Amino acid sequence: MSQTGADPDALGELLFDLWSCKNLEGLRLQASRGFSEMQEPLVGLLALLGSSPGPQKGRSSTLGHFLLTEFVRWMRGNPQASLKNVAADRAAGLQRWALGLISDSQPGYVDALLDIYQLGSLDRELLVKHVHYMQDCCSYKEAALLAMKLELQAELDMEKMCVPLVLLDKLQLAESYVHGHAELQERLVVLLDSWCSPDFSLENLCRLYLRLSLSKHQADQIQPKMLTKHVFRLMERFRVDPAKCPNSVYKRKLDSLRFLAYKRFVEKTMSVENWRDHVQAAVEGCTELQINLVELLNRYSIDEAAQWAHSYNLPRERLPFDVREVVKSLPPSHTALLDVCDQSSEAWEATESHRERFYQPPIAKDKVHFVSVLEELESCKKAVMQSGTVVGVDMEWRAGFGTVSQQRVSLVQLAAPGQVFLLDLCAPGFSQHVLQFLRQLLCASSILKLGYGMSGDLKCLVATWPEIRDEPLKVEGVLDLLHVHQQIQRGRRAWAGPRSVEVAGGPAEKGLSLLVQQVLGRPLDKEEQLSNWERRPLRTSQLRYAVADAYCLLDVYSVLSEDPASFGLPADLRSVSSSTPAKSKEEKRAKDKMRRGLKKSRDQSVKDPSLSAVGTEQEKPGSQGPCLAPQDLHVVCDNMLQGLGRFLRCLGVDVRMLENVDDHRVAAELARREGRVILTSGQPYISLKSQVGEGRCLALDCSEKARDQAVRVLKHFNIRLTPQDIFSRCQLSVGDAHIAPRQAPLLRALVPGSSSSSHLDFPPRAV
């Protein structure tokens, strides 16, 4: 063995045979013995690595990586083999040899070679040249990893390193590359923002990297919509000034204008005052946005478009022709749109129709205190900081519509029995006094603080006062009614059965408004929710909304406390929040069990097509409530579930599908306007669920086939299929939604009592 151990080539052949036979114990023993018998183990290791094969099919590791791991273990018992015991000239040669192996090896080689051969001690210029060589070999990922390990970021061109990574959909690696380097972080964000410019061309950029081939998925990631999301996320993470990212900010503001126009003219759920507040804030100081606003308004109201154009004195030659003609007829002094609304013209008492439709707090105007100076804050403390007091806590901030990464609190509402205090955080020099007061209030265990979704409020407090990160708030004696509401909803779903999603038309209440409706009989009026809470003075309608949002917490808690059992709650409501995590685990286990059962039923239906997933003997439709016909189900499919949408439409379901370019918010808008249920998948489910009523959003697994997804939907809604339902709807109304005749057996298998061999004429393609 001495001769074999002394010869790296012979040892390499022996180790390769053992590796091929998957004899890891023999391989480990032989490698350790071979290292011990080598005259120069550091030289022999490099020779073995150079002759080792690369990745092999069916093997998660490589022989070279295994040998490096064993050599590190062997060195612990043989410290004399360290590089420090090798002559300087000889050691430098071994380091250059080891550095050359990194370019062609797996990333797993890097750490071990850096440690064994101390590559960090090599000349920095040599290391930089090697990183450039790796990039020239298109080893972009490996080059970035090596540069990070050797801390070469300051000596390398950030753009040359990060651009290929971003193009290859490895933005996370680019973020790691600039970590800890504030200047590089800012340059990366500015670079991504420059790609959001209308003048940016991906084709021209790729010409600089001719050896870089992008897949369709990778090219789709270099789109303004995706890039803007990354820019805003990184602006927040790296704390980059938004002024350095004008393209992304401009695009977000333009998107917000479209959203505001939809809310104002299509949904008609935003008041004129709120609309004007937000539009003025969005287009202020930007002529291009003002022109875009006029062009957008021209689709809905030429007169209003002309008034905005006249108020901003926009160049006539850049206005649409119809708008230009109307502007000519307006008097030069006409600036009504920019005038601040006079709150004195608004009555405090709500109208009769408003009282019939919405919750009204039992508070007179003189019991509402707008607190903006220290003396008024002291009066608030005396009223609120009493042992045994129950206080409703709420906060308002200006809706940014995605144009700001963090929301800063503008108003804090504190509701005590019989009165409400509105703390003005926009008052100069007043916010620090409010912070000190809130610290005292939140940590007072003898005072019960009521909120709804308080985690979001606390996050906004951190954005408002960054010093909270260094000295976190101590929160005691808090009851989040969101947790109480969740338990009420779980009880309702258990009573109603598996079919928890409503399919009736019309918009539905959600969140706190739904809780108020369920407990007090009428929902909240949320028209002012999207107000500009930074404007001063606040309108009377804003003040009424702020009071109702806080005082309703006291009324809800009072009713729930009187008879908690009727709502399925324990006698001590404070115990609900502490039991929520355990309940969530139980729900998760129940969902997993249901998922496994559904998979088993699908497997059975594949073996025997006569066993339908809906309406079988094992699960009668009546056990889930009344059966529905496919025509009674109205859904909107997110753009990730277009295959499911086509499949459901072939079964007779009323389906609307999003296009690839549509934002996920379009699904929520369609659901609210047309009374549809959203079918979505993945991360969008969280945001879409919060935009629609309770139970009007269903999440599916996008990795499943459309047929399996359809089974889940039919089972969830207890849909009863008949042969007449198949292809009962026109397929062309959803674009390329035609299903080939060969897929008809898949559809027939869903019909109760049918088999894949039963005869069902395939109708001609609808025109």
Side-chain angles (χ1 to χ4, degrees):
M1 236 353 264
S2 61
Q3 185 178 1
T4 304
D7 183 3
D9 294 334
L11 177 60
E13 293 179 4
L14 178 59
L15 296 177
F16 178 74
D17 291 340
L18 293 172
W19 174 258
S20 301
C21 298
K22 299 184 179 180
N23 184 1
L24 299 184
E25 288 299 326
L27 180 61
R28 184 174 291 109
L29 178 62
Q30 192 61 56
S32 179
R33 185 181 302 170
F35 295 147
S36 299
E37 295 180 356
M38 288 179 180
Q39 292 183 354
E40 294 182 288
L42 293 174
V43 176
L45 175 62
L46 294 177
L48 290 173
L49 293 177
S51 61
S52 296
Q56 294 176 300
K57 187 176 181 180
R59 304 295 289 269
S60 60
S61 183
T62 63
L63 176 58
H65 187 270
F66 183 89
L67 292 177
L68 277 172
T69 304
E70 290 305 312
F71 191 84
V72 171
R73 182 183 292 112
W74 175 82
M75 277 189 63
R76 296 189 189 119
N78 298 270
Q80 72 280 1
S82 173
L83 189 71
K84 63 183 180 181
N85 297 324
V86 180
D89 293 342
R90 182 67 166 165
L94 292 177
Q95 288 177 317
R96 287 192 292 270
W97 187 0
L99 186 64
L101 289 175
I102 291 179
S103 61
D104 298 324
S105 64
Q106 290 184 335
Y109 280 32
V110 176
D111 290 328
L113 289 176
L114 288 177
D115 182 45
I116 295 171
Y117 294 94
Q118 302 173 21
L119 299 184
S121 63
L122 277 171
D123 181 65
R124 306 289 285 181
E125 185 177 351
L126 178 62
L127 295 174
V128 169
K129 287 183 178 179
H130 187 73
V131 171
H132 288 159
Y133 167 74
M134 295 175 68
Q135 285 195 300
D136 293 339
C137 295
C138 297
S139 300
Y140 301 109
K141 176 183 176 181
E142 291 76 9
L145 289 172
L146 180 60
M148 291 162 57
K149 299 288 184 182
L150 297 173
E151 299 182 355
L152 298 174
Q153 291 95 322
E155 288 96 334
L156 294 167
D157 184 349
M158 184 281 301
E159 187 169 333
K160 185 177 180 181
M161 293 294 298
C162 292
V163 167
L165 297 177
V166 178
L167 292 177
L168 294 173
D169 196 20
K170 298 185 185 300
L171 177 58
Q172 188 173 2
L173 181 57
E175 294 175 30
S176 301
Y177 177 83
V178 300
H179 178 72
H181 301 268
E183 181 182 354
L184 298 183
Q185 291 172 348
E186 180 178 304
R187 289 174 57 191
L188 175 62
V189 177
V190 172
L191 171 68
L192 295 177
D193 178 73
S194 68
W195 293 3
C196 299
S197 168
D199 300 328
F200 172 74
S201 170
L202 178 60
E203 183 179 354
N204 292 339
L205 179 63
C206 289
R207 289 197 183 107
L208 302 177
Y209 302 89
L210 296 177
R211 300 177 62 183
L212 194 64
S213 177
L214 302 185
S215 66
K216 183 180 182 303
H217 169 75
Q218 291 167 339
D220 289 342
Q221 302 306 304
I222 314 300
Q223 299 294 335
K225 179 180 177 180
M226 294 297 299
L227 291 172
T228 300
K229 291 182 179 179
H230 292 311
V231 169
F232 272 83
R233 176 177 60 83
L234 294 178
M235 273 198 300
E236 179 180 355
R237 178 182 175 185
F238 298 149
R239 301 184 182 181
V240 176
D241 183 1
K244 297 182 181 295
C245 304
N247 297 304
S248 298
V249 172
Y250 177 85
K251 185 180 184 308
R252 276 291 174 89
K253 287 187 175 182
L254 187 59
D255 290 342
S256 71
L257 288 179
R258 293 174 180 141
F259 175 74
L260 290 168
Y262 181 87
K263 299 286 287 185
R264 172 75 179 89
F265 297 102
V266 180
E267 276 193 354
K268 298 181 180 180
T269 56
M270 180 174 283
S271 65
V272 176
E273 293 81 6
N274 284 342
W275 152 260
R276 291 178 179 175
D277 282 347
H278 288 302
V279 168
Q280 290 178 33
V283 304
E284 183 179 5
C286 182
T287 303
E288 289 300 320
L289 280 174
Q290 293 166 2
I291 292 173
N292 273 281
L293 170 65
V294 172
E295 293 173 348
L296 182 63
L297 289 176
N298 191 38
R299 306 175 189 174
Y300 304 104
S301 171
I302 296 178
D303 290 338
E304 186 153 355
Q307 292 180 38
W308 283 96
H310 183 74
S311 297
Y312 284 118
N313 195 25
L314 298 178
R316 300 286 179 88
E317 64 274 9
R318 300 200 58 184
L319 300 178
F321 176 79
D322 294 341
V323 176
R324 194 184 315 163
E325 294 301 313
V326 177
V327 169
K328 292 179 181 178
S329 63
L330 296 177
S333 60
H334 183 82
T335 58
L337 287 174
L338 301 182
D339 294 338
V340 178
C341 298
D342 182 12
Q343 76 162 12
S344 62
S345 62
E346 296 184 74
W348 175 260
E349 295 296 330
T351 63
E352 183 66 29
S353 61
H354 190 276
R355 289 196 295 270
E356 291 178 356
R357 292 179 57 195
F358 300 108
Y359 162 81
Q360 305 295 325
I363 295 292
K365 186 176 182 180
D366 60 346
K367 297 298 182 181
V368 177
H369 312 285
F370 195 80
V371 181
S372 58
V373 295
L374 190 57
E375 293 76 12
E376 296 169 341
L377 185 62
E378 291 299 326
S379 300
C380 174
K381 289 181 181 180
K382 292 179 181 179
V384 172
M385 298 295 292
Q386 300 289 333
S387 180
T389 304
V390 180
V391 181
V393 181
D394 193 34
M395 302 174 195
E396 304 297 342
W397 49 83
R398 173 183 164 187
F401 304 107
T403 58
V404 292
S405 55
Q406 293 181 330
Q407 309 285 1
R408 298 179 182 274
V409 178
S410 303
L411 192 73
V412 177
Q413 304 106 281
L414 300 178
Q419 53 187 336
V420 176
F421 298 90
L422 307 179
L423 311 185
D424 182 17
L425 269 63
C426 295
F430 185 59
S431 64
Q432 287 300 321
H433 298 292
V434 176
L435 175 59
Q436 295 174 9
F437 169 49
L438 289 179
R439 286 188 182 275
Q440 299 173 17
L441 176 63
L442 292 175
C443 70
S445 58
S446 61
I447 301 174
L448 177 60
K449 280 79 64 178
L450 303 176
Y452 190 93
M454 295 197 71
S455 61
D457 292 340
L458 294 177
K459 287 181 180 177
C460 288
L461 287 180
V462 175
T464 307
W465 293 292
E467 57 266 33
I468 293 179
R469 291 190 178 95
D470 302 325
E471 188 181 353
L473 297 171
K474 296 180 180 179
V475 180
E476 297 182 13
V478 170
L479 174 60
D480 194 336
L481 291 180
L482 172 61
H483 299 153
V484 176
H485 193 196
Q486 289 171 340
Q487 181 150 331
I488 293 175
Q489 291 299 94
R490 282 194 292 267
R492 285 173 173 262
R493 285 195 289 267
W495 174 80
R499 225 177 120 238
S500 61
V501 178
E502 302 173 4
V503 294
E509 299 299 328
K510 58 180 181 177
L512 178 59
S513 182
L514 176 62
L515 175 62
V516 173
Q517 183 182 47
Q518 292 172 338
V519 177
L520 303 178
R522 290 184 177 88
L524 294 172
D525 181 6
K526 307 296 285 188
E527 188 179 57
E528 295 291 343
Q529 184 179 29
L530 298 179
S531 295
N532 180 5
W533 291 98
E534 294 179 359
R535 64 162 290 158
R536 294 295 181 270
L538 293 174
R539 296 187 303 274
T540 301
S541 57
Q542 288 179 294
L543 296 175
R544 283 201 308 263
Y545 172 86
V547 170
D549 232 23
Y551 206 88
C552 71
L553 300 171
L554 300 181
D555 287 344
V556 167
Y557 177 74
S558 176
V559 173
L560 293 179
S561 300
E562 290 177 359
D563 188 11
S566 63
F567 294 93
L569 299 172
D572 183 10
L573 296 182
R574 301 193 193 193
S575 65
V576 172
S577 58
S578 60
S579 64
T580 299
K583 188 70 176 180
S584 298
K585 292 181 180 178
E586 293 176 7
E587 283 191 336
K588 184 177 181 181
R589 284 194 291 268
K591 289 182 179 179
D592 291 340
K593 183 177 180 180
M594 182 182 69
R595 191 179 295 113
R596 289 192 297 269
L598 184 59
K599 183 178 184 299
K600 182 178 180 181
S601 66
R602 288 203 309 268
D603 295 340
Q604 290 177 347
S605 65
V606 171
K607 296 177 182 178
D608 185 1
S610 64
L611 293 177
S612 173
V614 180
T616 63
E617 291 298 321
Q618 293 91 331
E619 284 187 351
K620 296 183 179 180
S623 63
Q624 299 183 8
C627 296
L628 289 178
Q631 294 77 14
D632 296 331
L633 179 60
H634 312 282
V635 302
V636 52
C637 287
D638 204 348
N639 42 31
M640 296 181 294
L641 298 175
Q642 292 177 342
L644 169 64
R646 291 190 285 266
F647 207 102
L648 289 176
R649 186 161 186 83
C650 292
L651 299 177
V653 177
D654 179 12
V655 180
R656 292 285 297 272
M657 290 192 299
L658 267 60
E659 300 294 336
N660 291 330
V661 296
D662 288 337
D663 190 88
H664 297 297
R665 290 181 298 186
V666 177
E669 295 163 359
L670 287 172
R672 291 192 296 266
R673 186 172 71 247
E674 301 179 6
R676 295 178 180 271
V677 175
I678 300 176
L679 303 181
T680 185
S681 178
Q683 189 68 23
Y685 170 73
I686 300 175
S687 60
L688 288 174
K689 180 182 177 183
S690 66
Q691 298 179 49
V692 294
E694 179 69 23
R696 299 181 70 86
C697 187
L698 180 63
L700 297 158
D701 186 355
C702 64
S703 65
E704 290 185 330
K705 294 182 179 179
R707 190 253 186 201
D708 296 332
Q709 293 171 341
V711 168
R712 290 182 180 273
V713 174
L714 297 177
K715 184 180 180 70
H716 187 88
F717 293 104
N718 200 18
I719 302 299
R720 181 77 175 186
L721 288 177
T722 66
Q724 291 73 27
D725 295 324
I726 307 299
F727 295 107
S728 60
R729 288 187 180 272
C730 173
Q731 305 302 299
L732 291 184
S733 60
V734 287
D736 59 345
H738 183 61
I739 301 293
R742 67 177 182 273
Q743 297 184 10
L746 294 176
L747 304 175
R748 291 198 300 267
L750 300 178
V751 180
S754 68
S755 67
S756 59
S757 60
S758 63
H759 177 70
L760 182 64
D761 290 334
F762 193 92
R765 186 170 183 176
V767 178

